[in-house]
Amino acid sequence: MPAYVIAEVDVTDPEAYKLYAEKAPGITLPAGGKYLVRAGKSECFEGEPPRNRIVVIEFETMQKARDFYYGKYQEIVPLRQAASKGRLFLVEGAS
């Protein structure tokens, strides 16, 4: 069953964030992640519109997403956290 890593990111230091953004695909893609959304344009139909970057990464399973997060990705987490604030969470997909 697919699983999705979803991030809402408020970039506080755009120059520093560029380094993270450059390194992220080189870690995400080899771990089996597929970017479905990477800070594209958004449109609000109901409620408050998103104020931040939205990123959605698909993995084959919850375990592969966990392996990604707790694996090599940890090398660049400090870069993201120093240049932004936000939420990052894992959601199981529908079967």
Side-chain angles (χ1 to χ4, degrees), residues 47-59:
E48 295 291 321
R51 296 184 308 258
N52 307 315
R53 294 172 59 94
I54 303 294
V55 178
V56 178
I57 307 168
E58 180 180 55
F59 289 88

Side-chain angles (χ1 to χ4, degrees), residues 18-92:
K18 283 181 186 178
L19 180 59
Y20 166 80
E22 290 170 3
K23 291 180 178 272
I27 293 173
T28 304
L29 300 176
K34 176 183 176 185
Y35 286 99
L36 300 180
V37 176
R38 195 167 185 212
K41 292 180 183 179
S42 65
E43 182 177 331
C44 183
F45 289 127
E46 296 183 22
E48 295 291 321
R51 296 184 308 258
N52 307 315
R53 294 172 59 94
I54 303 294
V55 178
V56 178
I57 307 168
E58 180 180 55
F59 289 88
E60 288 182 13
T61 65
M62 294 279 283
Q63 189 57 52
K64 287 188 179 189
R66 285 186 202 100
D67 292 345
F68 154 75
Y69 181 78
Y70 292 112
K72 192 167 176 66
Y73 180 69
Q74 288 299 308
E75 295 175 11
I76 63 170
V77 167
L79 296 174
R80 178 179 47 79
Q81 291 176 339
S84 68
K85 58 183 179 176
R87 299 189 310 158
L88 186 72
F89 50 95
L90 176 59
V91 178
E92 187 174 56

Side-chain angles (χ1 to χ4, degrees), residues 6-18:
I6 302 173
E8 295 177 90
V9 183
D10 180 13
V11 177
T12 56
D13 184 341
E15 283 303 310
Y17 193 83
K18 283 181 186 178

